[in-house]
Amino acid sequence: MKKIIILIAILLSQILCFAQQDSQYTQYMYNTVNVNPAYAGSRETLSVFLLHRNQWVGLDGAPVTNNLSLNTPLGDSNFGLGFSIVNDRIGPTTENAISADLAYFIQVSNNYKLSLGMKGTANFFNLDVNKLNIYNQNDPQFQNLNSEFTPNVGAGLYLFSDNTYFGISVPNLFETKHFDDNSIAITREKMHYYVLAGHVFDISDNLKFKPAFLSKIVEGAPLQLDITANFLINDKFTIGAAYRWSAAVSGLVGFQISESWFIGYGYDMETTKLSNYNSGSHEIFLRYELFNNNRVTSPRFF
């Protein structure tokens, strides 16, 4: 029986450790605060963001992500504050992460600001053993796998102007082991390193073009690189495409409903053999922003 337990744990570890760990977003350019705490408050307005992502539709146990976040500058100070809740469901596991972000802005030139950010996160991880095929239901090894709490901290840098940005971050600085009994862990979450950048080109008075990229580096996993190109038409309608290196191609659309409300949708089509077993991934989000009298209300592209 001990060999069976070890075998099941090893299989779960391989599946969960070498697949994605941090939540994956196609429209990362609107959800930057989740991967880089230094972004908090950089839009100079209260920004509330709600997202739902259904990945690999039709594949049992595929990832489903729900995300609620907000970030805002703190009055006239040089500080920004962020808060987010991320719910991830993958196979038999559910993880809820509650995070708080604090950013400090430094004016480094006439056009650029540098933001330093810190993130604190409370993770709640749960493994539903009822979704596993266990030969001996009374085995004590599977009786005490209740919700597990682990804290973590992260950090980031974000350099930006009105039309350019560059960021580097590590949202979780500590490796986390779940249900570790000193001999084997069900999952092991490693550090994720993020690098992102983008620039907005004014093609004409009514057309803007923004190329961007997000790179994610994780020990033991291939480099993940997202390359995105978006067009903003009449400061209202956004359309674009993205490529996730050796993984997927995506189509993106968005619409500025009003001064405060923006809605967006993205669809991913797999380019790997996994495409034979699912009908793609869907991602939809809604953003609300509360402007003040000192903020220029023309929509910013990032």
Side-chain angles (χ1 to χ4, degrees):
M1 187 62 211
K2 181 68 173 178
K3 293 181 179 179
I4 295 175
I5 293 171
I6 294 175
L7 178 60
I8 293 173
I10 290 174
L11 289 174
L12 280 172
S13 178
Q14 294 296 313
I15 292 171
L16 296 175
C17 286
F18 294 99
Q20 73 177 64
Q21 291 182 5
D22 283 4
S23 301
Q24 181 169 279
Y25 303 106
T26 297
Q27 299 173 110
Y28 56 87
M29 67 291 298
Y30 304 111
N31 198 27
T32 306
V33 73
N34 276 95
V35 299
N36 192 331
Y39 183 83
S42 65
R43 287 184 62 81
E44 301 177 8
T45 182
L46 171 64
S47 182
V48 182
F49 186 87
L50 180 64
L51 175 142
H52 173 76
R53 178 178 175 86
N54 198 346
Q55 189 165 324
W56 302 332
V57 174
L59 186 65
D60 288 343
V64 176
T65 300
N66 294 292
N67 171 230
L68 171 65
S69 64
L70 63 87
N71 70 94
T72 181
L74 291 179
D76 295 326
S77 72
N78 292 324
F79 287 94
L81 185 66
F83 176 79
S84 62
I85 301 174
V86 179
N87 169 260
D88 259 332
R89 289 179 283 133
I90 307 176
T93 68
T94 300
E95 185 167 9
N96 294 293
I98 302 173
S99 302
D101 307 296
L102 181 65
Y104 181 74
F105 301 96
I106 303 170
Q107 191 79 44
V108 294
S109 72
N110 290 334
N111 297 321
Y112 281 89
K113 287 184 179 180
L114 175 65
S115 176
L116 315 175
M118 293 292 296
K119 179 186 290 287
T121 302
N123 289 290
F124 300 89
F125 181 89
N126 182 70
L127 172 64
D128 186 354
V129 297
N130 295 318
K131 295 182 179 179
L132 302 177
N133 293 322
I134 302 173
Y135 293 103
N136 182 1
Q137 296 292 330
N138 296 319
D139 195 306
Q141 293 282 349
F142 290 93
Q143 302 305 309
N144 298 310
L145 299 181
N146 299 317
S147 181
E148 183 184 60
F149 164 75
T150 54
N152 217 317
V153 295
L157 298 174
Y158 188 68
L159 179 69
F160 65 100
S161 67
D162 288 340
N163 55 18
T164 304
Y165 67 90
F166 172 82
I168 183 169
S169 60
V170 185
N172 295 295
L173 288 168
F174 303 117
E175 179 180 301
T176 300
K177 298 179 181 179
H178 295 299
F179 304 120
D180 184 14
D181 64 358
N182 297 320
S183 61
I184 191 166
I186 295 295
T187 67
R188 182 178 290 107
E189 297 183 12
K190 296 183 178 293
M191 286 192 297
H192 291 58
Y193 302 87
Y194 290 90
V195 178
L196 75 163
H199 182 79
V200 179
F201 295 92
D202 290 321
I203 306 299
S204 69
D205 291 340
N206 298 317
L207 181 64
K208 294 181 175 67
F209 172 60
K210 190 188 90 169
F213 79 85
L214 171 69
S215 177
K216 181 166 66 174
I217 303 167
V218 187
E219 180 186 352
L223 173 70
Q224 180 176 304
L225 177 64
D226 286 55
I227 303 172
T228 308
N230 274 312
F231 290 92
L232 178 62
I233 304 168
N234 292 325
D235 286 334
K236 289 288 185 181
F237 181 67
T238 302
I239 187 169
Y243 175 66
R244 182 168 298 120
W245 195 267
S246 299
V249 292
S250 308
L252 312 173
V253 292
F255 185 70
Q256 192 77 39
I257 302 171
S258 68
E259 180 182 289
S260 295
W261 291 96
F262 182 77
I263 189 170
Y265 170 78
Y267 174 77
D268 299 352
M269 182 176 66
E270 290 294 313
T271 58
T272 67
K273 292 181 179 179
L274 193 61
S275 63
N276 297 325
Y277 307 98
N278 73 90
S279 57
S281 304
H282 301 272
E283 188 175 285
I284 187 169
F285 74 85
L286 183 66
R287 184 179 68 193
Y288 172 78
E289 295 187 311
L290 180 64
F291 296 99
N292 59 48
N293 294 330
N294 297 322
R295 168 59 155 91
V296 177
T297 58
S298 176
R300 212 176 83 184
F301 215 164
F302 60 90

